[in-house]
Amino acid sequence: MGVNLNADTSESAATTPEKSLNFVEEIINDHLESGRFDQTVHTRFPPEPNGYLHIGHAKSIALNFSLAEKYGGLCNLRFDDTNPSKEEEEYVHSIKEDIKWLGFDWEDREYYASDYFDQLHDWAVKLIKDRLAYVCDLTLEEGREYRGTPTEAGKHSPYRDRSVEENLDLFARMKAGEFPDGTRTLKAKIDMAHPNFHMRDPVIYRILHGHHHRTGDDWCIYPMYDFTHGQSDSIEKITQSICTLEFENHRPLYDWFCDKLEIHHPQQIEFARLNLTYTVMSKRKFLTLVNEGYVNGWDDPRMPTISGLRRRGYTPESIRNFCEYIGVAKHNSVVDVTILENHVREHLNAIAPRVMAVLNPLKVVIENYPEGKVEELQAVNNPEDESAGIRSVPFTRELYIDHNDFMEEPVKKYFRLAPGKEVRLRYGYILKCEDVIKNDTGEIIELRCTIDPDTLGKQPTDRRVKGVIHWVSAEKSLDAEIRLYDRLFSVEHPDKVEEGQDFRSNINPDSLEIIKHAKVEPALRAVKSGERYQFERVGYFSVDQDSTDDHPVFNRIVSLRDSWARIARNTR
RNA sequence: UCCGGGAUCGUUCAAUGGUAGGACACCAGCUUUUGGAGCUGGUCAUGGGGGUUCGAAUCCUCCUCCCGGAACCA
């Protein structure tokens, strides 16, 4: 695997100029040089607790936490919970669990924007007193009309010039719950002719009689994102406030509030969010997939959610390495999902014990091997890791091999088993196919074979046998359920659709194939949920949480690179 | 149309006025008791036009294309 991880985080990026810096690191270095902040780097990851985290969030999490680590700084976790109607405690728990699983630690710095509601309210009052905010009675629709269009300036609200006293009184009564939802807002008084819509007297407080997951019914007015985020950053003494590109237009407002409030002023930096081929990446679309039954929940192993990837069997290391590898830039990009797959292959290749599993069993009877005899053959657990040791695998007269490893009429370049041909049984003898037995409908149901008893652990001198196949003992093997997961979408860009269709029309109907009765070697008795194995020549698999001692269930994490598939494709 | 961003191999990230480089993918070969892993080599890119300069991916200029923006969402 040639992936260059470049993941050396032991040296500060600031002191290793030979390693190219990403644009965020360059900005940080400028700040360090100019002394803009008289403190160390302090970042934060600010999720809204209204959904599950996905691989795109992992990029942001990794960026914020590893930047802090590289520069010897800190990264906070802050829940951006300013909208009581959408946020739930359940999401807070899952988000924390996912970040921890990824391997990042916010220590005791778990914050909530809702913790700052009193301070935010006081700042709003200050703006009113400074004649920089006013209570507006315009309805939502009227507000939209007054805002203007990209080419025309907006109009001043008729309530724009209320006195400080009236504004103070009205805002207090908004807070006291005297007015129904939507009847009034507090707006910042900026510039209705500003080319940036966010500067055209943006709403900073709205009336919302909702139950908040943390503050309960204490408030019926809630600050907007723009009046919360920068100030929260400021309170926490954040230095670089890293967010995604769509917030670029909000930066002037972010700066305006910090300036007018005369508070610590972090630098907002925007980067491009992650997109992956063969998947979608939005909470709304995930919700559709879950609600309409295309997947079995948020942690379905096909979902690009962190919980889905975890259940699938991805390792946190591989996701972190992936995030480091893809880097960070300001232009939108779509990362090939094979990059992600290669990272998990690379990690699992190093750590996953090898075992043999036969997914589509075909019985083999070895005619020259005695009935009842059992040999314990020695197999290495991981050729990449000698310390993983060896195990024994029972060899008997009747075996199962995979149907795919036999071809009655072999195509060229096929060097597995075929009538009259030989193949190496992994860790065992060379096997020769003598006869093919079929049922009434012509299906191949059994192979009669012989072994060359002088080939255990050594090569024959008179011929060369190239193919190696895996196998299990028919008598000693275990039954297992195997869930073969594939990409959820059958096209690279699921959102590119014909007029009148949506991403659902690109769903891969074969994203899950369940094999109920696969045969696995006895070493897999009593596996535990979460364990990961390589099924030799097949792929990497994890033990699903549905697994029981009687009924092991394995999820395919990712297949092995299959160069036979490529050859078969190219020679056709 | 206005504002804000962006454009380098198929993909992603470099090169910060001085030989356009790496990785993935692809192709060829070596090796192998996983058609796995590993190793070697190869194909492939600066959106376009002008300009500055001995020299431009990089600076200037015009153009083209792409993304985001008019929630009392974040």
Side-chain angles (χ1 to χ4, degrees), chain A residues 136-140 142-143 146 156-159 182-185 187:
Chain A
C136 181
D137 300 356
L138 253 26
T139 64
L140 210 168
E142 290 165 340
Y146 275 75
H156 282 185
S157 160
Y159 308 98
T183 52
R184 285 185 164 87
T185 57
K187 288 179 176 172

Side-chain angles (χ1 to χ4, degrees), chain A residues 95-110:
Chain A
I95 288 168
K96 286 161 65 176
E97 189 189 352
D98 287 349
I99 300 171
K100 270 187 230 157
W101 179 76
L102 282 171
F104 297 105
D105 186 5
W106 57 92
E107 297 172 311
D108 59 348
R109 296 179 312 284
E110 175 179 330

